[in-house]
Amino acid sequence: MKLHEYQSKTIFAKYGIPIPKGRVAATAVEAKHIAEELGGRVVIKSQVLVGGRGKAGGIKVAKSAAEAEGLAQQILAMEIKGLPVRKVLVDEAAAIEHEIYFAITNDRAAKKPVMIASAEGGMDIEEVAATKPEKIIKVHIDPLLGLRDYQARDIAASIDLPRDHWREFSKIAAGLWQAYLETDATLAEINPLVITKDKRLAALDGKMMIDDNALFRHSDLNEMRDIDEEAPAETEARKFGLSYIKLDGNIGCMVNGAGLAMTSMDIVKLFGGEPANFLDIGGGAGSDKVAAAMKIILSDSNVKAVLFNIFGGITRCDEVARGILVAMDEVKPKVPMVVRLVGTNAEEGRKLLENAKMITAETLADAAQKAVQAAK
Amino acid sequence: MSILINKNTRLLVQGITGNEGLFHSTQMLAYGTNLVAGVTPGKGGEWVLDGKVPVFDSVKLAKEATDANCSVIFVPARFAPDAMFEAADAGIPLVVCITEGVAVQDMMRVRSYLDNKGVRLVGPNCPGMLTPGESKVGIIPGNIAIPGNVGVVSRSGTLTYEVLYALKLVGMGASTCVGIGGDPVNGTNFIDVLEMFEHDPHTEKVVLIGEIGGTDEDKAAEFIASKMTKPVVSFIAGQTAPPGKRMGHAGAIIEGGAGTAEGKVKALQAAGVKVAKHPEEIPSLLK
């Protein structure tokens, strides 16, 4: 789950990381009031869950409250990479002397958290990583020990941070580590962490991602989810523990297991079709989950045929068949459906579907070809 | 011969009285797996599976009574990390975690702790392992594979079944099939299993099933090129998957451009691996 900048910075502040004064606004008038409180000179920042806001014109500096209102009006009318801007963050403008990149994320290859820092922070950090990798400092953290003070000092020294700032930087590093740890983040990123003209450190921008698998122990964070920024079908899918991504094709796919779901899409494409979605019902799905999945697939009006590819392991094919029957009864689908059941309780599943007027298939290639044919 | 599990594997099931645990324990026992014990805290002293398998309150007690040497975990995601720590502390050398959805920070702590103890972990979020005709540890349906000389290693669950089944349909069998799981932080990786297959006299060919994301397939390609003498055939899932949702800049900094199906296919082909266009093509590439 991605958090907005303003949410991420609120969390940072809780862990002692200095952030600029500011608040979030949903209208230009609110933005104006906040700007007045902050003394006029502010930054208006669109709050959408995509990168590249600055380059898209979604971040502007205002010299007065009146200008802030006008800019907020503009930005609130924008769409950035297809996402409408619904909120802006109004932050007091900082006089920046230097920009640092500072983040913690999971290094899956090393199986450890890694702290990343660069003296060349800002919008072009990926360019720096690609062209001047020596300017990117990476320090792995032992997950059982946590961040040690010496590691934070090492990072400060490696990015040539003036010594006057080391203590403050160590505090920020410790705060970032705690924020990452206690929210089960997969990413906690400050870009830029700035040295201001009056020689203070401040996190001007923040980005956090939270591990969906850990949300069971973070009900407070779960409430921060911005469902306005998701396709409604994806929100619905998550409610049932389904993993669904809408695509542009016309063959709906319901598969168990992410690898097999991707493979089913690959093979549909290989035989000349276009998948309408990625949908993984997960392991051990019961009939209610399957019925929900089917309704989500059929809610997409582009869908001209549905391919069910179920290879039972922990999932039982008879449960899936029952879910299909429940959904068929409720939705009364008009598109052709191709079903392939193999593995655990496949025989029972096939029997249940005998009278359901579905096209059956033996192999994966056979199923994909029949679905492509049926969608024509 | 086989790797990791065989008829001498003495298996313990953590979470044996749960829905999934009980269902799959029944299947494992029916397959002929030497299932010696189950663990469910609070249910010690009971017997399950028609009185064939004793249940203990802890892994330690189960291990003392039955000398189990492998544990398979079926407990819900929020309890799975504790189950893995418990198995490691009880001295179980091989731990297989089927559970899906374990938090990644938990897994980093588990992995670190188990590595320090020298415990081999397979999974989590994996189908487990199958040595056809000898032992089934996990959820791979037993009837879709026959004994043979092909070693199978995979990051995916159900996709692995497709491959075993496709092999069986043309009369080809597996020495051992290892599902390592698709989570970003897991235990055993491709290289660990490839090395075991390379040294297993009964494995003559290897199938490697990968998917998009991470760099494990690329590392496997390097290993195959430099260390393996046995032929390897591969399939990479996700060739048409839309580009993943980006993880800030940090993801790009750590992984660079790696992780695409195209990049993995190229790396494997450069290592002399035949890469199938779809899983059912694998048997013909092994011939």
Side-chain angles (χ1 to χ4, degrees):
Chain A
M1 179 180 80
K2 285 182 184 176
L3 295 184
H4 281 294
E5 176 194 1
Y6 75 93
Q7 296 168 323
S8 306
K9 276 153 76 174
T10 308
I11 293 173
F12 289 169
K14 217 172 92 189
Y15 289 93
I17 298 168
I19 58 168
K21 276 187 204 143
R23 278 210 324 276
V24 76
T27 65
V29 177
E30 269 180 81
K32 181 185 159 205
H33 290 316
I34 298 167
E36 277 164 359
E37 281 170 38
L38 296 173
R41 237 188 97 79
V42 291
V43 192
I44 312 284
K45 308 178 85 177
S46 53
Q47 299 296 291
V48 281
L49 295 174
V50 289
R53 293 171 302 158
K55 284 175 186 162
I59 299 178
K60 295 261 164 69
V61 181
K63 290 181 207 72
S64 68
E67 194 186 355
E69 184 178 14
L71 288 173
Q73 187 98 50
Q74 270 178 33
I75 292 175
L76 283 165
M78 284 175 71
E79 249 186 32
I80 299 179
K81 296 183 185 167
L83 291 173
V85 179
R86 292 189 169 87
K87 289 180 213 123
V88 290
L89 175 64
V90 183
D91 261 0
E92 122 195 286
I96 300 166
E97 189 172 281
H98 185 70
E99 295 190 330
I100 294 161
Y101 176 88
F102 194 28
I104 300 180
T105 190
N106 301 328
D107 184 348
R108 61 189 283 171
K111 320 279 182 205
K112 285 186 174 118
V114 60
M115 211 163 223
I116 309 165
S118 175
E120 301 191 13
M123 290 204 278
D124 297 318
I125 185 67
E126 285 181 41
E127 179 73 23
V128 175
T131 56
K132 294 183 273 183
E134 74 282 359
K135 292 284 179 191
I136 304 279
I137 308 301
K138 294 177 205 163
V139 174
H140 285 97
I141 299 168
D142 185 319
L144 297 175
L145 283 181
L147 176 75
R148 311 307 304 183
D149 286 343
Y150 79 89
Q151 293 180 303
R153 286 195 302 273
D154 281 355
I155 293 170
S158 307
I159 58 170
D160 297 323
L161 190 73
R163 282 196 181 140
D164 299 346
H165 293 299
W166 283 17
R167 272 184 68 161
E168 207 183 344
F169 181 82
S170 291
K171 262 195 206 159
I172 291 171
L176 194 64
W177 167 253
Q178 282 303 322
Y180 158 89
L181 193 67
E182 288 176 21
T183 60
D184 271 290
T186 53
L187 170 75
E189 181 180 80
I190 307 174
N191 186 35
L193 174 69
V194 300
I195 306 177
T196 60
K197 291 236 154 67
D198 56 352
K199 307 292 172 205
R200 289 178 301 114
L201 294 182
L204 288 204
D205 199 351
K207 186 176 285 168
M208 290 189 80
M209 290 178 72
I210 309 297
D211 181 358
D212 285 316
N213 287 336
L215 286 173
F216 70 88
R217 57 190 171 211
H218 301 290
S219 54
D220 52 329
L221 294 173
N222 209 2
E223 282 166 17
M224 288 187 174
R225 186 188 294 274
D226 188 348
I227 55 169
D228 284 348
E229 302 236 335
E230 289 179 334
E234 289 175 21
T235 308
E236 182 69 11
R238 200 188 47 251
K239 229 166 57 194
F240 287 95
L242 302 161
S243 176
Y244 171 87
I245 299 170
K246 190 185 158 358
L247 303 168
D248 297 328
N250 60 6
I251 298 174
C253 303
M254 173 150 81
V255 187
N256 62 323
L260 189 55
M262 286 192 286
T263 303
S264 304
M265 288 160 55
D266 290 351
I267 202 163
V268 159
K269 206 145 178 168
L270 189 67
F271 288 114
E274 285 291 335
N277 65 276
F278 166 91
L279 194 152
D280 170 15
I281 58 170
S287 54
D288 52 334
K289 205 165 166 180
V290 172
M294 193 157 146
K295 282 182 221 159
I296 290 166
I297 291 175
L298 292 171
S299 71
D300 177 354
S301 58
N302 292 337
V303 169
K304 297 283 176 279
V306 183
L307 168 62
F308 297 89
N309 183 31
I310 304 297
F311 209 124
I314 204 160
T315 304
R316 302 170 206 174
C317 291
D318 55 328
E319 279 287 314
V320 173
R322 271 187 209 101
I324 293 176
L325 290 176
V326 168
M328 298 240 306
D329 201 38
E330 278 182 44
V331 188
K332 308 244 183 309
K334 295 187 183 61
V335 299
M337 300 205 247
V338 180
V339 62
R340 172 176 180 253
L341 301 175
V342 195
T344 311
N345 295 2
E347 209 42 60
E348 293 87 328
R350 279 188 219 120
K351 265 192 202 121
L352 284 167
L353 293 180
E354 242 164 29
N355 300 320
K357 292 195 185 127
M358 299 175 92
I359 304 163
T360 56
E362 288 297 317
T363 66
L364 183 49
D366 180 34
Q369 278 165 305
K370 282 177 173 160
V372 172
Q373 199 55 41
K376 275 181 185 160
Chain B
M1 277 277 291
S2 55
I3 64 166
L4 291 164
I5 57 164
N6 55 37
K7 57 185 183 304
N8 299 321
T9 297
R10 298 173 61 77
L11 183 69
L12 171 161
V13 177
Q14 287 176 260
I16 196 164
T17 58
N19 255 341
E20 302 300 340
L22 202 55
F23 178 80
H24 289 287
S25 293
T26 311
Q27 308 263 323
M28 288 188 280
L29 198 64
Y31 193 75
T33 306
N34 189 12
L35 174 48
V36 298
V39 171
T40 297
K43 298 211 169 162
E46 293 180 16
W47 289 75
V48 291
L49 303 175
D50 300 325
K52 292 194 192 86
V53 179
V55 181
F56 297 85
D57 280 320
S58 72
V59 179
K60 185 166 176 283
L61 291 171
K63 159 104 171 120
E64 280 166 7
T66 66
D67 201 26
N69 58 12
C70 176
S71 174
V72 62
I73 295 173
F74 283 100
V75 308
R78 63 181 72 185
F79 308 118
D82 200 58
M84 289 182 261
F85 288 129
E86 186 186 355
D89 275 345
I92 305 283
L94 175 60
V95 179
V96 183
C97 185
I98 306 301
T99 309
E100 165 177 8
V102 181
V104 65
Q105 288 198 16
D106 282 335
M107 272 321 300
M108 292 193 289
R109 289 184 280 264
V110 167
R111 177 68 201 266
S112 194
Y113 190 78
L114 268 57
D115 279 357
N116 290 343
K117 289 230 163 201
V119 173
R120 174 163 296 286
L121 172 68
V122 177
N125 189 16
C126 79
M129 297 178 278
L130 179 70
T131 292
E134 294 196 32
S135 185
K136 158 177 150 97
V137 173
I139 63 175
I140 300 173
N143 59 359
I144 60 167
I146 51 175
N149 61 9
V150 182
V152 178
V153 59
S154 170
R155 260 173 77 185
S156 165
T158 46
L159 179 52
T160 319
Y161 310 165
E162 291 285 0
V163 174
L164 289 173
Y165 189 59
L167 291 174
K168 182 186 168 181
L169 289 179
V170 296
M172 295 175 101
S175 52
T176 299
C177 171
V178 184
I180 59 173
D183 278 4
V185 176
N186 62 357
T188 297
N189 61 32
F190 279 134
I191 293 179
D192 300 327
V193 181
L194 289 174
E195 191 167 16
M196 287 184 247
F197 280 142
E198 175 70 16
H199 293 125
D200 173 39
H202 281 210
T203 300
E204 289 172 18
K205 305 159 185 180
V206 176
V207 174
L208 181 148
I209 305 157
E211 58 186 46
I212 49 170
T215 53
D216 281 7
E217 290 80 359
D218 305 77
K219 287 187 197 152
E222 275 172 42
F223 181 85
I224 291 164
S226 60
K227 300 272 168 56
M228 284 205 58
T229 59
K230 298 177 182 176
V232 181
V233 169
S234 179
F235 173 75
I236 304 294
Q239 315 197 15
T240 59
K245 296 177 179 176
R246 289 173 45 91
M247 258 195 61
H249 296 294
I253 292 172
I254 289 296
E255 292 187 353
T260 64
E262 199 192 345
K264 289 171 196 271
V265 169
K266 275 196 188 136
L268 287 163
Q269 282 172 337
V273 174
K274 288 182 196 159
V275 182
K277 282 201 228 32
H278 64 84
E280 285 158 346
E281 199 187 52
I282 288 175
S284 63
L285 296 181
L286 281 169
K287 276 176 186 160

